Amino acid sequence: MAKVTDIVLWDKPGERVLLLGNHAIARGALEANIAVFAAYPGTPSSELTDTMAAVAEKAGVYMEYSTNEKVAFETALSAAWSGLRAMTAMKHVGLNVTADTFLSAVGMGVEGGFVIMVADDPSMWSSQNEQDTRVYAKFAQVPVLEPSSPHEAKEMTKYAFELSEKFKHMVILRTTTRISHARGDVVLGELPEEIKQAKRKFGDFKKDPSRFVDVPSNARRFHPIILEKIEKIREELAECPFNWIEGKEDAKVGIIAPGLAYSYVKEALAWLGVDDVKILKLGTPFPVPYKLLEKFFDGLERVLIVEELEPVVEEQVKVWAFDNGIRIPIHGKDYVPRVYEMTTRRAVTAIAKFLGLETPVDFESIDERYKKVSAIVPPRPPSLCPACPHRNTFYAIKKAAGPNAIFPSDIGCYTLGLLPPLKTVDTTVAMGASIGVAHGLDVALNGVPGEKETKEKKKIIVATIGDSTFFHTGLPALANAIYNRSNVVIVVMDNLVTAMTGDQPNPGTGDTPHGPGKRILIEDVAKAMGADFVEVVDPYDIKATYEVMKKAIETEGVSVVVARRVCALHRVGEMRRRGEKWPIYTVNEEKCTGCKICINAYGCPAIYWDAEKKKAQVNPLICWGCGGCAQVCPFGAFEVMKEGE
Amino acid sequence: MVKEYNIVITGVGGQGILTAANLLGWAALHAGYKVRVGEVHGMSQRFGSVIAYVRFGEDVYGAMVPEGKADVILAFEPVEALRYINYLKEGGLVIANSNPIPPVQVSMGLATYPSMEEIKKIIEEDFKGKLITLDAEKLALEAGNVITTNVVLIGALTQTPGFPLSEEHVKEVIRLSVPKKAVDVNMKAFELGVKAAKELLGL
């Protein structure tokens, strides 16, 4: 088992390796001779971006962690305009951030292949909503490719570049969590010479204002061109190597299975022991190639479409069937749930119902027996790490602002401040929204200076936002709050990495995959924008953090507090690699009175309650040595464990 | 060659679950199988409940093991075995690390942690499986580093009746995967897991 970054660069065509879907896509991009890659990390897309960062220098690829998806898109798009093969990657909600540029640029087309990798997260394992990128693709009239396995993800990436270049149209490669975060056997292909020799490729931008300036007169020309192109692409896709018909040729029933659903359908059919069906495996859920539908529907009496989330394929198929006078029953979302991710169980259940069979496993009986289990298993939601600096920040905020203050927060690990005992997160909507929401709440509840009427007794509003999120979309919201004379406290929880997605750098850390970038200090930005109070504090010093919060709350206007301390997980990882040790705390049982402040107010996962002794205890395997517990305990019961204990 | 073999690995984020799943996936790949490994990343990893799937065989497709189809559940934490017990097939085996990590909710008194007897009863009576528990952390410390807890459990897993990959094979993948200076500790951890499982399974 070699290192992933080595495998992705291996010059071993034909070698069978185990790769995560995201790693496989990175390899596919290299096999396609990519020149520029730009992205903002977002689960479940991040490993593609990180892999590109790790191999960029060795492959001669320009790679950047952009500040948000929109600017990443613009970076890659411009490279594609310049004739280079370029790619951007994001999670589904990232496409919303990009949407303005994305939808406007479609009509301009591209010169080099441009692939937009979008990772959807059905069932929302790590996301704020469940959206189906295929709907966006249809909206924008951009073809979408959807792999059914990690190997196919790699192959499709190469094909996506070719398709994009052929039609001078951007292409979406859409994955879901179970492709991006599934490992599968992948067969390596050839790497181009330029990648092997790490040769940086430069493009050539040919000026053409009639194409690259979307003033209304030009944009008016684009729309019909887009519609024409997509119909040509629809025809082309009948020959796409990722679309095919299989199974029994003269079967009376057919199943259409796009993307990953194909895998579940295959498994379900094997499990049910059914082989009397015809399958249309669709790698291109939009646009669905009509020619293939003609061939597939021939002789069929009933059809089932098994697709995850929205009925994107179903609607196209039904419209096509209606227009062509085909009146056989076509089932889809009436048998397959429209919410949450597809599973083999869901595929088996839908197909069994469609064919009038029993499911091979009595799922209902499992559910029945499982009811009892779910009642006695304690919940274990994710939590802020032990030694997370921002447990302390939240603790200090709550103490300074009081429980009646309102706490808008943002997207990142710190959203976990929502959980008891901290409970210092009242709203979380989207990247950067905490500052906008804080200002809106101030307007709605308090009123701002200059207005005829404002509230006497003002509600305290303290927003929290991470360092990367601050640069992502926090900046315009901060400008807005300052400009419109808000009275809010904005706490930037700066842990010096984009922690939740895997420790990527951002402008606040300054480093880039190609070496040092220019570091931007959050406090400098806040000062330059004209915030009324700006201070930096170390959250490992809880008392000092509390004092600064107090002052920030008392200051009229926009206060910005930068709570800066490196991410604990990141720090511990680096210390482990260097073979360093950190202090481990323990409870002096004589001093512990059992007051439970450390558990009920602070809530470090390394601290647990010994019900027999009625004392707090520290799990030494989880303690990362921040000493927050020692600062929080009124009785001084937490002490550093001595060597050898 | 088996047609399909399904392992569900559960535990608490940070216990080395994904590493274990990846190691088993590579071992299966080297043995010539088609492989799928399903993982959880991002926020859900942070000390929350984690599940990973390892599937291999002549024909495997999706990365998730369906309910009622796991040959083995390898649990890094006892209550996490119970949380995902609906995946176990009848007659399947649960190998569980015996060290509980009580969730903060339990310490706060918002939830209770079930007893080992209760856990055992549900696994064996309601789900017709077999449970063996071992103190993998203690064995890992005995081997020289608590970080090898996952390798102790993998060692134990290789002793499961009907486990399709050879012990040597799995060991070789681990040997090649860990840093050179950590090979001995890991091999010792593996052996301790093997020995414990043999005793528990009466082999």
Side-chain angles (χ1 to χ4, degrees), chain A residues 518-538:
Chain A
K518 193 155 182 172
R519 187 177 178 199
I520 305 173
L521 288 172
I522 295 160
E523 57 274 24
D524 288 356
V525 173
K527 276 180 207 155
M529 276 193 185
D532 300 284
F533 175 98
V534 180
E535 215 158 306
V536 182
V537 67
D538 176 4

Side-chain angles (χ1 to χ4, degrees), chain B:
Chain B
M1 298 290 270
V2 284
K3 227 179 140 38
E4 181 185 320
Y5 196 81
N6 294 316
I7 307 165
V8 165
I9 311 180
T10 69
V12 180
Q15 285 191 302
I17 291 151
L18 300 193
T19 309
N22 196 9
L23 284 168
L24 289 165
W26 272 96
L29 184 89
H30 282 311
Y33 285 112
K34 216 174 139 181
V35 188
R36 290 286 182 272
V37 180
E39 309 178 351
V40 176
H41 292 221
M43 183 155 77
S44 30
Q45 273 172 287
R46 302 281 188 267
F47 292 86
S49 164
V50 165
I51 180 168
Y53 312 91
V54 182
R55 323 185 66 190
F56 53 90
E58 287 168 35
D59 274 310
V60 289
Y61 293 96
M64 286 179 293
V65 173
E67 288 115 296
K69 292 282 266 186
D71 294 278
V72 178
I73 293 179
L74 190 64
F76 284 42
E77 202 278 345
V79 88
E80 295 309 314
L82 203 55
R83 193 184 309 279
Y84 301 105
I85 195 63
N86 50 333
Y87 287 94
L88 193 70
K89 72 173 189 191
E90 270 189 32
L93 179 69
V94 179
I95 303 175
N97 182 10
S98 59
N99 302 104
I101 303 177
V104 176
Q105 283 71 12
V106 169
S107 294
M108 289 180 74
L110 302 174
T112 47
Y113 195 100
S115 69
M116 277 310 288
E117 291 74 43
E118 241 178 315
I119 294 175
K120 193 176 164 68
K121 193 165 167 282
I122 289 174
I123 292 174
E124 300 197 336
E125 286 175 20
D126 295 346
F127 286 85
K128 312 269 178 264
K130 183 179 160 73
L131 170 72
I132 63 166
T133 58
L134 63 158
D135 192 336
E137 250 160 49
K138 201 176 123 206
L139 295 174
L141 282 167
E142 203 180 310
N145 195 336
V146 72
I147 243 172
T148 60
T149 302
N150 55 1
V151 173
V152 172
L153 288 165
I154 291 175
L157 172 69
T158 59
Q159 301 311 305
T160 311
F163 185 71
L165 305 174
S166 82
E167 197 182 308
E168 263 321 302
H169 202 100
V170 178
K171 263 167 90 169
E172 185 60 21
V173 169
I174 297 171
R175 199 178 289 134
L176 292 171
S177 305
V178 300
K180 276 207 179 70
K181 57 175 186 194
V183 169
D184 289 347
V185 178
N186 276 282
M187 287 304 114
K188 199 168 168 205
F190 188 94
E191 293 304 340
L192 288 170
V194 168
K195 198 170 144 244
K198 275 190 174 153
E199 279 164 22
L200 288 161
L201 291 162
L203 301 168

Side-chain angles (χ1 to χ4, degrees), chain A residues 256 297 301-305 314 317-322 326-334 354:
Chain A
I256 302 180
F297 268 75
E301 288 171 6
R302 301 168 65 220
V303 170
L304 173 68
I305 299 156
E314 183 180 338
V317 169
K318 281 181 173 168
V319 168
W320 170 84
F322 186 87
I326 293 166
R327 294 292 178 267
I328 64 167
I330 301 171
H331 295 278
K333 288 296 154 195
D334 49 343
F354 177 64

Side-chain angles (χ1 to χ4, degrees), chain A residues 290-308:
Chain A
Y290 295 149
K291 269 191 207 147
L292 262 186
L293 288 183
E294 269 167 42
K295 232 160 92 188
F296 176 71
F297 268 75
D298 186 32
L300 290 181
E301 288 171 6
R302 301 168 65 220
V303 170
L304 173 68
I305 299 156
V306 182
E307 71 186 309
E308 203 171 33

Side-chain angles (χ1 to χ4, degrees), chain A residues 104-285:
Chain A
S104 295
V106 174
M108 300 174 175
V110 292
E111 286 300 304
F114 181 36
V115 180
I116 307 149
M117 183 275 205
V118 188
D120 284 0
D121 188 17
S123 280
M124 297 153 282
W125 299 107
S126 203
S127 301
Q128 61 269 46
N129 75 5
E130 185 173 53
Q131 68 185 47
D132 189 331
T133 290
R134 302 174 310 159
V135 175
Y136 245 124
K138 198 175 161 223
F139 180 28
Q141 301 290 314
V142 166
V144 54
L145 301 171
E146 199 188 350
S148 65
S149 70
H151 176 73
E152 203 179 43
K154 176 180 81 81
E155 294 298 308
M156 256 185 188
T157 306
K158 277 194 282 186
Y159 177 82
F161 279 105
E162 284 156 22
L163 186 73
S164 169
E165 227 159 64
K166 183 169 179 182
F167 289 90
K168 295 186 183 295
H169 203 65
M170 50 184 87
V171 170
I172 289 177
L173 176 72
R174 182 241 188 183
T175 67
T176 57
T177 308
R178 303 298 176 183
I179 286 288
S180 270
H181 289 165
R183 285 172 207 271
D185 30 327
V186 170
V187 183
L188 300 182
E190 299 269 358
L191 284 176
E193 279 307 311
E194 283 168 305
I195 294 282
K196 282 195 266 185
Q197 291 164 14
K199 195 173 178 304
R200 168 77 150 88
K201 295 167 280 279
F202 292 94
D204 179 23
F205 179 73
K206 289 196 186 67
K207 286 190 186 192
D208 182 358
S210 71
R211 175 175 174 192
F212 296 120
V213 182
D214 62 359
V215 286
S217 59
N218 288 334
R220 243 169 251 134
R221 278 190 299 113
F222 293 158
H223 205 172
I225 293 173
I226 296 170
L227 295 176
E228 248 171 65
K229 261 192 194 174
I230 205 73
E231 290 313 312
K232 280 196 189 127
I233 291 171
R234 192 191 295 279
E235 271 172 45
E236 167 91 6
L237 291 179
E239 307 301 325
C240 167
F242 306 104
N243 291 332
W244 66 77
I245 295 166
E246 65 176 53
K248 201 160 167 271
E249 212 174 296
D250 58 352
K252 300 276 177 262
V253 294
I255 296 176
I256 302 180
L260 185 57
Y262 169 74
S263 285
Y264 295 122
V265 164
K266 288 286 279 186
E267 184 166 350
L269 290 172
W271 207 5
L272 287 161
V274 171
D275 51 14
D276 195 18
V277 288
K278 193 151 77 163
I279 302 171
L280 172 59
K281 188 269 183 195
L282 260 187
T284 62

